[in-house]
């Protein structure tokens, strides 16, 4: 049973479209995250969501918005997609913010044409 | 991100050799020093971690060496194998803060 699962695994779309990536964790963790990994493997934190508190990396454009229907889910919604948004997006979870092991999903590769 | 510097960016080692990756940090409030390993097409996973009250931790072929005064810690992979080929990230942090991964080190172990 997958601890952190993301869907879709691959997403190809046109510039200007809006898309969402879903993430679910079955570990009972309190904190979830979204990371973006570029082609050079640079892994950048985008958001963390902990007990309904959202912490946003200030460099993330406001076209990106996380939505958490409950503690086990943190979805990523992206408006007006741009070419530079092409990357692999990883969802992760941990017991608490900055505490213990981070468990990652397998990633969602987004390609914007 | 400027608080953590990992080196080298890439590393090629022959099978059976020792791989060494270094991590230097500035924030003395960090109290947990993990290394994450990422295989192609997968998410990163915790490999090994150390707390600052010890100077070394060994798990199988993987060892963390920690130098608190120099604010550095390193990952040593003994008897490196092709299956160790991956990207490695040092992610020092303390509780209550988001983990910053950076660019990592791409290790290739040649057969």
């Amino acid at each position: 049973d997958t601890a952190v699962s993301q869907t879709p695994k691959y997403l190809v779309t046109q510039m200007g479209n809006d898309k969402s990536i879903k993430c679910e964790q079955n570990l009972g963790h309190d904190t979830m995250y979204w990371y973006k990994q570029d082609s050079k493997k640079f892994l950048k934190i985008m958001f963390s969501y902990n007990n309904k508190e959202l912490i946003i990396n200030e460099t993330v454009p406001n076209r990106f918005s996380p939505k958490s229907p409950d503690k086990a889910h943190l979805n990523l919604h992206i408006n007006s997609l741009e070419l530079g948004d092409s990357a692999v997006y990883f969802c992760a979870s941990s017991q608490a913010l900055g505490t213990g092991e981070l468990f990652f999903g397998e990633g969602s590769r987004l390609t914007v044409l | 991100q400027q608080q953590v510097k990992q080196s080298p960016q890439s590393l090629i080692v022959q099978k059976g050799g020792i791989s060494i990756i270094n991590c230097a940090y500035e924030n003395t409030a960090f109290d947990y020093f993990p290394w994450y390993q990422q295989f192609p097409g997968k998410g990163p996973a915790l490999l090994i971690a150390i707390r600052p009250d010890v100077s070394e931790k060994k798990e199988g072929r993987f060892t963390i060496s920690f130098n608190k005064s120099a604010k550095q810690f390193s990952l040593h992979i003994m008897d490196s194998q092709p299956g160790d080929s991956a990207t490695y990230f040092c992610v020092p942090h303390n509780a209550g803060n988001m983990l910053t991964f950076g660019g990592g080190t791409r290790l290739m172990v040649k057969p």
Side-chain angles (χ1 to χ4, degrees):
Chain A
D1 200 16
T2 305
V4 181
S5 58
Q6 319 178 206
T7 54
K9 192 171 175 68
Y10 300 97
L11 188 54
V12 181
T13 189
Q14 299 288 328
M15 274 177 51
N17 285 350
D18 302 339
K19 290 294 177 185
S20 293
I21 306 172
K22 295 185 176 181
C23 179
E24 176 182 3
Q25 55 97 0
N26 63 7
L27 297 167
H29 286 165
D30 284 337
T31 307
M32 296 183 72
Y33 312 81
W34 277 105
Y35 283 84
K36 177 182 179 181
Q37 188 167 47
D38 62 24
S39 57
K40 295 185 178 180
K41 295 292 187 181
F42 196 94
L43 193 58
K44 172 184 169 183
I45 179 72
M46 300 178 71
F47 308 99
S48 71
Y49 201 85
N50 178 56
N51 288 330
K52 299 187 179 181
E53 181 188 4
L54 175 66
I55 301 175
I56 303 171
N57 184 326
E58 60 187 14
T59 65
V60 174
N62 57 16
R63 298 181 296 103
F64 291 79
S65 56
K67 298 188 191 303
S68 180
D70 55 58
K71 197 174 81 165
H73 296 84
L74 184 65
N75 304 324
L76 180 65
H77 190 76
I78 315 170
N79 289 328
S80 304
L81 279 156
E82 301 178 356
L83 293 176
D85 298 333
S86 296
V88 181
Y89 292 84
F90 287 98
C91 177
S93 73
S94 66
Q95 199 164 13
L97 181 62
T99 300
E101 182 177 353
L102 233 61
F103 290 82
F104 281 83
E106 295 211 330
S108 297
R109 180 176 292 276
L110 171 66
T111 302
V112 182
L113 303 175
Chain B
Q1 290 161 1
Q2 295 298 319
Q3 294 186 343
V4 178
K5 291 186 180 179
Q6 187 174 334
S7 61
Q9 286 187 318
S10 62
L11 182 61
I12 300 174
V13 173
Q14 289 294 131
K15 179 182 175 182
I18 302 173
S19 304
I20 301 175
I21 305 171
N22 299 300
C23 190
Y25 63 95
E26 296 175 5
N27 189 342
T28 55
F30 289 154
D31 60 7
Y32 192 57
F33 301 87
W35 287 93
Y36 279 76
Q37 179 188 54
Q38 183 182 24
F39 292 110
K42 301 291 184 182
L46 179 64
L47 176 64
I48 187 172
I50 198 169
R51 295 231 177 246
D53 52 345
V54 296
S55 60
E56 186 175 283
K57 182 176 181 180
K58 185 175 180 180
E59 291 183 358
R61 295 183 296 107
F62 301 90
T63 300
I64 294 182
S65 297
F66 180 70
N67 186 330
K68 188 173 181 178
S69 60
K71 293 187 284 186
Q72 294 179 347
F73 65 112
S74 59
L75 174 68
H76 295 238
I77 306 174
M78 310 300 288
D79 187 26
S80 298
Q81 299 297 311
D84 298 330
S85 297
T87 300
Y88 293 82
F89 298 91
C90 67
V91 198
H93 63 278
N94 51 300
N97 291 306
M98 295 192 291
L99 274 65
T100 301
F101 277 69
T105 295
R106 293 197 200 190
L107 171 65
M108 179 185 297
V109 181
K110 290 194 168 183

